[in-house]
């Protein structure tokens, strides 16, 4: 092996690598002192710069020397010539050390042999920090310095990087660790983020994932969600600028959801799960901080909804009687579906034990979406709970069967949709239909009603998440596969 070492360590002669936190290294100090009396010896210490104190050790504070010398165990004794390694002894073995050094009668009071300890640089935590530091040096994002007395959390608020809650300061080391969650090049461009149409790279997403509180293993899900948000179909610019309630909602399918510990059960649309909470937040922070969609600026939501901080959940595929949302949309394996939706609204039906009755309850609530008189302009996402799902499972109803039934139940008499009917000014113009008394129209377009299966096992409740305007000027569901590092 050939290694170029710093000037403090000769490329010729004997080199010993030790650490104080190693009983065998402590034990062999007399042997090292005896060798040093008879031939030049350079000692490299991994932890205590004063160990061994009489041998003028070189402190390998960064552990770069240990890496360059490919040290796996301490003590390790090396003989080098012209920058090349000629021989190596690992741990303590008197005969090997005598042969390598040419020193006879070496440390006769010591045991004949004793194994060493692992090199300090191979400690997983230390190696993780080292790897992060190497990546941090290559980051492209602009770095902002804060004052010595400035609180880093308050600095993030002051610079407008927050959604109103504290964010984790995105230090280079934290961003580098976040990037370890993906094999993608940090410089890879995912697209441009409206309304400022700034370029969004993998690195930029990692920065915001740090601020959101994500773990590195969440990053592939966040990246897929960002990619979905930047499509023309999702229309992030429109979602960001609307006065409506909607914001991006992330639904996760496939093995990665379980692997990163996402919640698909109790309180699935609520707080308490780190992955659910931070993935949705990371998407929102990325779109805000890279694209500039700030409330009161481009974001003109009249009321908004709490989910605009970040709403993300996993579908319970393990127990579901149906094909997953992503599978239904033609994407197998780990995937993200992005949906522009408002806050969930509850559907309570604790009496229905047959699918015909329960589907009527769902349809009656779906009819009210946006307004009972508004049709075809808004999509809907149903979140069916396990207790409601059991009713359909036991009756053998597929998702297609339920959707067909709901669409039939949601054929609305045109005469009820007109302006002024029931004393309500909202509605369709009176000349919309030639014969409103004998005309029925659907509440939703053919591909405007979607279903997922999630929630706790107790409670005869489901949820409806209303969508934003659909069609060419609105937003469509977008499903993207998730990189699966496993």
């Amino acid at each position: 092996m050939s290694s170029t070492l710093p000037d403090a360590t000769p490329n010729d002669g004997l080199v010993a690598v030790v650490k104080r936190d190693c009983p065998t290294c402590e034990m062999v100090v007399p042997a090292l002192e005896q060798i040093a009396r008879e031939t030049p010896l350079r000692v490299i210490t991994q932890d205590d710069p004063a160990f061994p104190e009489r041998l003028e050790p070189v402190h390998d504070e960064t552990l770069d020397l240990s890496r360059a010398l490919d040290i796996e165990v301490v003590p390790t004794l090396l003989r080098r010539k012209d920058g090349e390694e000629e021989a190596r002894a690992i741990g303590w073995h008197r005969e090997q050390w005598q042969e390598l050094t040419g020193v006879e009668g070496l440390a006769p009071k010591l045991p004949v042999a004793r194994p060493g300890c692992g090199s300090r640089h191979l400690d997983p935590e230390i190696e993780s920090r080292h790897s992060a530091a190497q990546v941090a040096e290559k980051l492209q994002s602009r770095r902002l310095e804060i004052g010595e007395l400035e609180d880093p959390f308050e600095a993030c608020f002051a610079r407008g990087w927050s959604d109103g809650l504290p964010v984790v300061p995105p230090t280079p080391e934290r961003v580098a660790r976040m990037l370890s969650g993906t094999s993608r090049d940090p410089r890879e461009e995912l697209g441009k983020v409206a309304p400022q149409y700034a370029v969004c790279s993998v690195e930029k997403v990692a920065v915001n994932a740090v601020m959101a509180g994500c773990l590195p293993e969440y990053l592939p899900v966040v990246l897929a969600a960002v990619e979905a948000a930047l499509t023309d179909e999702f229309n992030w610019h429109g979602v960001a600028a609307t006065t409506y309630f909607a914001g991006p909602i992330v639904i996760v399918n496939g093995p990665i959801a379980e692997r990163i510990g996402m919640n698909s059960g109790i309180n699935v649309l609520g707080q308490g799960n780190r992955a659910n909470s931070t993935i949705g937040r990371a998407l929102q922070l990325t779109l805000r901080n890279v694209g500039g969609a700030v409330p009161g600026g481009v974001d003109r939501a009249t009321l908004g909804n709490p989910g605009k901080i970040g709403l993300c959940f996993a579908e319970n595929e393990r127990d579901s009687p149906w094909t997953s949302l992503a599978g239904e949309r033609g994407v197998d394996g780990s995937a993200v579906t992005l949906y522009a939706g408002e806050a969930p609204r509850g559907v309570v039906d604790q009496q229905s034990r047959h699918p015909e009755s329960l589907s009527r309850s769902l349809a009656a609530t779906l009819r009210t979406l946006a307004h009972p008189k508004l049709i075809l302009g808004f999509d809907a996402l149903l979140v069916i709970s396990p207790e409601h799902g059991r009713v359909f499972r036991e009756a053998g109803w597929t998702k297609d069967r339920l959707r067909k039934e709901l669409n039939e139940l949601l054929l609305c008499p045109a005469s009820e949709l007109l302006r002024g009917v029931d004393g309500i000014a909202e509605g369709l113009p009176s000349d919309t239909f030639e014969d409103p008394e004998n005309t029925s129209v659907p509440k939703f377009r053919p591909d405007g009603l979607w279903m997922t299966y999630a929630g706790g096992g107790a409670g005869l409740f489901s949820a409806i998440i209303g969508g934003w305007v659909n069609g060419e000027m609105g937003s469509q569901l977008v499903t993207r596969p998730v990189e699966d590092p496993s």
Side-chain angles (χ1 to χ4, degrees):
M1 172 184 172
S2 175
S3 299
T4 301
L5 301 178
D7 294 339
T9 303
N11 282 334
D12 293 286
L14 298 174
V15 179
V17 184
V18 298
K19 65 179 181 182
R20 183 181 289 278
D21 187 25
C22 169
T24 303
C25 294
E26 290 267 17
M27 185 194 76
V28 300
V29 169
L32 293 172
E33 292 176 343
Q34 183 179 346
I35 293 169
R37 288 194 294 268
E38 299 190 27
T39 186
L41 171 69
R42 177 63 71 194
V43 177
I44 297 171
T45 180
Q46 293 186 337
D47 50 7
D48 185 346
F51 173 76
E53 61 184 49
R54 288 190 291 271
L55 291 174
E56 299 181 359
V58 173
H59 185 202
D60 189 13
E61 186 174 8
T62 64
L63 299 173
D64 288 340
L65 284 173
S66 299
R67 294 185 184 92
L69 291 169
D70 195 24
I71 303 300
E72 295 184 353
V73 174
V74 290
T76 288
L77 186 64
L78 306 169
R79 187 173 70 240
R80 295 171 59 81
K81 184 175 182 181
D82 298 328
E84 299 286 337
E85 181 180 315
E86 289 188 326
R88 162 181 304 226
I90 297 172
W92 160 253
H93 193 288
R94 180 181 293 108
E95 186 176 333
Q96 291 178 357
W97 280 45
Q98 289 181 158
E99 182 179 350
L100 191 150
T101 62
V103 177
E104 296 295 331
L106 188 58
K109 295 183 179 180
L110 297 185
V112 173
R114 180 170 290 178
C117 304
S119 177
R120 188 165 179 262
H121 80 280
L122 296 179
D123 179 281
E125 184 175 344
I126 291 174
E127 188 60 18
S128 174
R129 289 201 298 266
H130 172 72
S131 298
Q134 287 185 313
V135 174
E137 292 177 359
K138 302 175 182 177
L139 296 178
Q140 304 293 308
S141 299
R142 181 167 55 99
R143 302 188 187 192
L144 297 178
E145 299 295 331
I146 65 171
E148 183 177 348
L149 300 180
E150 191 174 9
D151 185 295
F153 291 92
E154 293 298 332
C156 292
F157 277 117
R159 286 162 174 77
W161 300 338
S162 168
D163 49 15
L165 296 173
V167 295
V168 179
T171 63
E173 293 73 23
R174 289 185 178 126
V175 175
R177 282 195 292 272
M178 183 62 63
L179 285 165
S180 70
T182 179
S183 61
R184 299 172 69 166
D185 187 333
R187 295 167 295 183
E188 179 188 345
E189 295 183 1
L190 306 181
K192 295 182 178 181
V193 187
Q196 295 178 353
Y197 290 96
V199 172
C200 183
S201 65
V202 170
E203 180 182 320
K204 293 289 188 184
V205 176
V207 169
N208 285 278
V210 168
M211 290 196 288
C214 289
L215 294 174
E217 52 263 39
Y218 306 168
L219 184 58
V221 180
V222 181
L223 288 168
V226 171
E227 288 181 310
L230 300 188
T231 60
D232 291 339
E233 293 83 1
F234 185 73
N235 185 10
W236 163 243
H237 198 164
V239 176
T242 181
T243 55
Y244 200 62
F245 310 87
I249 297 172
V250 183
I251 304 103
V252 183
N253 287 112
I256 198 165
E258 189 168 335
R259 187 156 52 249
I260 66 176
M262 292 193 70
N263 180 22
S264 64
I266 294 174
N267 199 43
V268 67
L269 303 180
Q271 85 291 2
N273 179 275
R274 182 174 182 175
N276 290 36
S277 297
T278 61
I279 290 170
R281 190 185 186 205
L283 170 63
Q284 290 277 25
L285 286 174
T286 299
L287 297 174
R288 172 199 170 99
N289 291 331
V290 179
V294 179
V298 168
D299 185 338
R300 307 300 295 179
T302 304
L303 295 172
N305 82 81
K308 291 183 72 173
I309 292 174
L311 178 52
C312 171
F313 67 96
E315 189 168 7
N316 181 0
E317 297 176 62
R318 183 183 295 272
D319 301 321
S320 176
W322 298 323
T323 303
S324 71
L325 178 62
E328 187 181 15
R329 294 180 53 76
V331 180
D332 296 324
S334 296
V336 156
T337 297
L338 199 62
Y339 173 67
E342 60 181 20
R345 61 181 70 183
V347 181
V348 180
D349 186 333
Q350 302 185 84
Q351 303 302 319
S352 294
R353 296 297 183 268
H354 302 285
E356 292 81 5
S357 173
L358 183 53
S359 60
R360 287 181 178 276
S361 287
L362 293 171
T365 312
L366 283 163
R367 173 77 185 270
T368 68
L369 190 67
H371 191 284
K373 290 187 178 185
L374 296 181
I375 59 169
L376 296 174
F378 299 87
D379 294 343
L381 176 71
L382 274 171
V383 183
I384 303 294
S385 72
E387 286 216 76
H388 277 170
R390 186 181 67 248
V391 173
F392 297 114
R393 181 203 303 271
E394 291 176 352
W397 279 34
T398 64
K399 189 184 285 189
D400 286 340
R401 168 74 188 277
L402 175 56
R403 182 182 286 112
K404 180 176 181 295
E405 189 76 16
L406 289 172
N407 282 329
E408 290 177 358
L409 291 167
L410 287 164
L411 286 171
C412 308
S415 59
E416 298 178 4
L417 307 176
L418 302 178
R419 293 174 182 172
V421 172
D422 294 330
I424 299 172
E426 181 61 83
L428 302 176
S430 58
D431 60 355
T432 303
F433 308 101
E434 291 185 5
D435 184 10
E437 296 297 330
N438 295 299
T439 302
S440 294
V441 290
K443 174 71 175 178
F444 300 107
R445 58 189 183 139
D447 58 348
L449 182 57
W450 299 92
M451 286 168 252
T452 60
Y453 180 90
L460 286 153
F461 316 123
S462 288
I464 295 169
I465 303 177
W468 183 50
V469 176
N470 56 42
E472 292 184 4
M473 299 299 294
S475 179
Q476 318 300 316
L477 267 74
V478 177
T479 301
R480 286 288 181 271
V482 174
E483 171 201 19
D484 198 338
S486 67

